[in-house]
Amino acid sequence: METQVVVLGGGPGGYAAAFLAADLGMRVVLVDAEPRLGGVCLLRGCIPSKALLHVAKAMAEARHLADWGVSYAAPSIAIDRLRGQKDKIIAALSGGLKQLVAKRNVQVIHAKGSFADSTTLRLTPMGQGGTIPETIRFEHCIVAVGSSPTRIPAFDLPTPRIMDSTGALELADVPESLLVVGGGYIGLEMGTVYAALGSRVTVVEMTEGLLPGADRDLVKPLQKSLEKQFAAIHLSTKVVSIVDKKKEIEVVLEGAEKQTLRFSRVLLSVGRKPNSAGIGLENTKARIDAKGFIQVDRRQRTDDPHILAIGDVAGEPMLAHKAAHEGKIAVESLHGDPVEFAPRAIPAVVFTDPEIAWAGLTETQAKQQDVAYESAVFPWAASGRALAVGRTEGLTKWLIDPKSGRLLGCGIVGAGAGDLIGEAVLALEMSCVARDLTDTIHPHPTLCETLGAAAEVFFGTATDIYRPRRAAR
């Protein structure tokens, strides 16, 4: 087979690239080893986890109504129906992609692809039936093979009681107790789900705080909430050993003191690694860095003129929306458009309860890079909407250049923070100044008002709180 463009990988970045290429009139073949399109995000990541987190959130909101005098009986959980509803959502979205593939005349081949050389992809059938070509010759290939959970060889025991994020999302059962190894966003999100369903969840994190890299003032309200949801949180603690005791997993933890605990299941969520190995890149001119990422320029081009790379395999942050944007940049590059991947802000969201979201420069980064900034924080305790819905634990924060007033970054913790961050991303991308936010009329009463109110704090003129302007950092 010969074609103009091959996209290797059918995740959010891959199908976004394939669809745009087809829309621009290119001949496109999409090669993916999965029997269904969607990649990790749709099949084993973003979508199923958020579906389950929706259930956890609804259960938490029902409990919160007790403060208003409205009480419900303890929930009865039909795990098969819960799992079935999750799978139904995945099937609906995957089916939608199949229809879009047909409408755009994108040819999909379900096979494993590896490079024989810079213009030839060798295909290996995945046992899904049908006849496929042995090779595809192409003018350009966009590599979008994603990432996989990082495995720890010493803890990789042959038992279903030790899971990665994929296994956790299969929801085989609701264990009586669950140890989550890793206090990053995946571990905390899955811990939230299992705690809501009735598991006693314990989290172990090697560093001194949850969500390393996120600003501490954003993490603090979340940690306070998780301390109520989880059985225990062990910080500055590492797992020394894991032993399969058949009916339980015995774990030795080493922190302020050494302790031996037993759990029904263990979830290992210590990060992800790019899937750059085993796809024949050594047969091309594309280069891989020490972390396994394919090296690309701002137009997503590798050192091989025939090969581009996008998404998790092309560098951090490993986020679906970043992959999709890079996929479009790669295709527009091939189309000859004057584009490059140079965003001012890539939003990140942790879908716990409360949610945390940030975009642009964080305070942690500003301090590390010695960037002058002023922090303008509006506490949700002063928000009428937050009071009305009983979610006053949140805050909205802007980092602002003290001289020019230009917005540098935004952080939000609270209910629906992931939806609120969109306005901040647009403001940062447009190089807005704080005055642009204060001059924008936000609807009342809403939580999005807090974005404008935080900008007012910068000027020391916030209506709903008295907070004189602070000196810049």
Side-chain angles (χ1 to χ4, degrees):
M1 179 183 290
E2 294 185 359
T3 190
Q4 187 176 1
V5 176
V6 169
V7 178
L8 182 59
Y15 65 73
F19 291 176
L20 180 58
D23 291 344
L24 293 176
M26 301 179 191
R27 289 178 289 109
V28 185
V29 175
L30 178 57
V31 176
D32 189 61
E34 299 278 358
R36 296 184 292 178
L37 293 180
V40 169
C41 179
L42 171 53
L43 303 177
R44 298 182 298 279
C46 323
I47 300 302
S49 65
K50 276 51 184 182
L52 295 176
L53 282 162
H54 162 70
V55 174
K57 179 183 177 183
M59 293 172 70
E61 288 179 343
R63 289 193 300 270
H64 289 159
L65 285 177
D67 295 337
W68 294 82
V70 180
S71 298
Y72 295 90
S76 174
I77 299 171
I79 193 68
D80 291 340
R81 289 183 62 185
L82 181 60
R83 189 188 310 113
Q85 185 67 14
K86 167 185 69 76
D87 293 341
K88 183 179 178 181
I89 293 168
I90 295 171
L93 289 170
S94 184
L97 288 177
K98 190 174 182 179
Q99 292 178 21
L100 291 171
V101 161
K103 289 181 178 180
R104 286 181 161 95
N105 293 319
V106 172
Q107 183 168 358
V108 176
I109 297 177
H110 293 290
K112 181 178 179 180
S114 62
F115 291 98
D117 55 46
S118 294
T119 58
T120 307
L121 204 62
R122 185 182 296 112
L123 302 181
T124 303
M126 300 303 293
Q128 297 160 9
T131 302
I132 65 170
E134 293 182 0
T135 59
I136 300 177
R137 289 189 61 80
F138 55 82
E139 295 176 23
H140 292 96
C141 178
I142 299 174
V143 182
V145 291
S147 62
S148 303
T150 300
R151 307 194 73 85
I152 304 174
F155 301 157
D156 198 8
L157 306 180
T159 170
R161 292 188 180 277
I162 298 179
M163 312 177 291
D164 57 17
S165 57
T166 299
L169 284 168
E170 289 175 357
L171 208 64
D173 59 18
V174 179
E176 181 180 338
S177 59
L178 173 69
L179 174 66
V180 177
V181 181
Y185 75 94
I186 295 176
L188 297 185
E189 288 182 358
M190 293 312 305
T192 297
V193 169
Y194 276 91
L197 296 178
S199 295
R200 288 183 292 103
V201 176
T202 297
V203 174
V204 174
E205 168 58 39
M206 286 185 63
T207 68
E208 59 185 14
L210 299 175
L211 295 172
D215 287 345
R216 294 302 92 190
D217 57 347
L218 300 180
V219 175
K220 187 176 179 180
L222 171 60
Q223 182 166 337
K224 186 175 180 180
S225 174
L226 292 180
E227 286 171 349
K228 297 176 182 178
Q229 298 176 49
F230 295 168
I233 298 175
H234 299 284
L235 302 175
S236 301
T237 302
K238 63 180 180 179
V239 178
V240 177
S241 68
I242 295 179
V243 179
D244 182 11
K245 294 293 185 178
K246 302 305 179 184
K247 293 185 177 181
E248 290 181 309
I249 300 295
E250 184 178 272
V251 182
V252 177
L253 305 180
E254 191 174 81
E257 59 182 25
K258 201 168 187 177
Q259 53 185 319
T260 301
L261 303 172
R262 290 196 175 195
F263 299 91
S264 304
R265 286 182 180 268
V266 174
L267 166 60
L268 298 177
S269 56
V270 292
R272 299 183 65 84
K273 59 182 180 62
N275 292 332
S276 57
I279 60 172
L281 286 171
E282 65 276 8
N283 300 322
T284 73
K285 297 178 182 177
R287 289 188 298 141
I288 301 174
D289 68 16
K291 294 183 178 180
F293 294 114
I294 300 174
Q295 294 184 298
V296 296
D297 63 13
R298 286 190 169 188
R299 292 169 66 83
Q300 304 306 133
R301 299 173 300 188
T302 70
D303 285 358
D304 193 308
H306 298 281
I307 299 173
L308 300 88
I310 63 171
D312 289 5
V313 78
E316 297 177 316
M318 294 184 180
L319 299 169
H321 43 277
K322 173 250 191 186
H325 194 81
E326 285 180 333
K328 295 176 181 178
I329 294 294
V331 171
E332 289 172 337
S333 295
L334 294 179
H335 193 247
D337 299 333
V339 295
E340 63 178 27
F341 184 76
R344 289 191 172 95
I346 301 176
V349 183
V350 183
F351 292 89
T352 45
D353 186 19
E355 294 178 2
I356 294 181
W358 65 91
L361 195 69
T362 67
E363 277 201 81
T364 303
Q365 292 169 335
K367 292 172 183 176
Q368 291 173 345
Q369 299 169 22
D370 199 24
V371 175
Y373 74 95
E374 187 170 332
S375 174
V377 179
F378 185 83
W380 285 18
S383 162
R385 181 59 184 271
L387 282 162
V389 298
R391 299 307 302 263
T392 58
E393 75 275 24
L395 65 87
T396 299
K397 174 179 68 174
W398 284 105
L399 297 191
I400 303 171
D401 184 305
K403 291 184 178 180
S404 67
R406 187 169 68 86
L407 303 174
L408 302 175
C410 182
I412 306 173
V413 56
D419 294 308
L420 295 175
I421 201 67
E423 179 180 338
V425 176
L426 179 60
L428 291 165
E429 199 64 39
M430 299 299 291
S431 294
C432 290
V433 294
R435 185 72 191 212
D436 293 323
L437 267 294
T438 61
D439 285 348
T440 300
I441 300 175
H442 293 83
H444 176 77
T446 63
L447 293 174
C448 73
E449 284 180 293
T450 64
L451 288 155
E456 287 181 340
V457 170
F458 172 71
F459 296 108
T461 60
T463 301
D464 296 307
I465 59 172
Y466 176 68
R467 185 156 296 178
R469 184 172 177 178
R470 297 190 309 174
R473 293 179 182 270

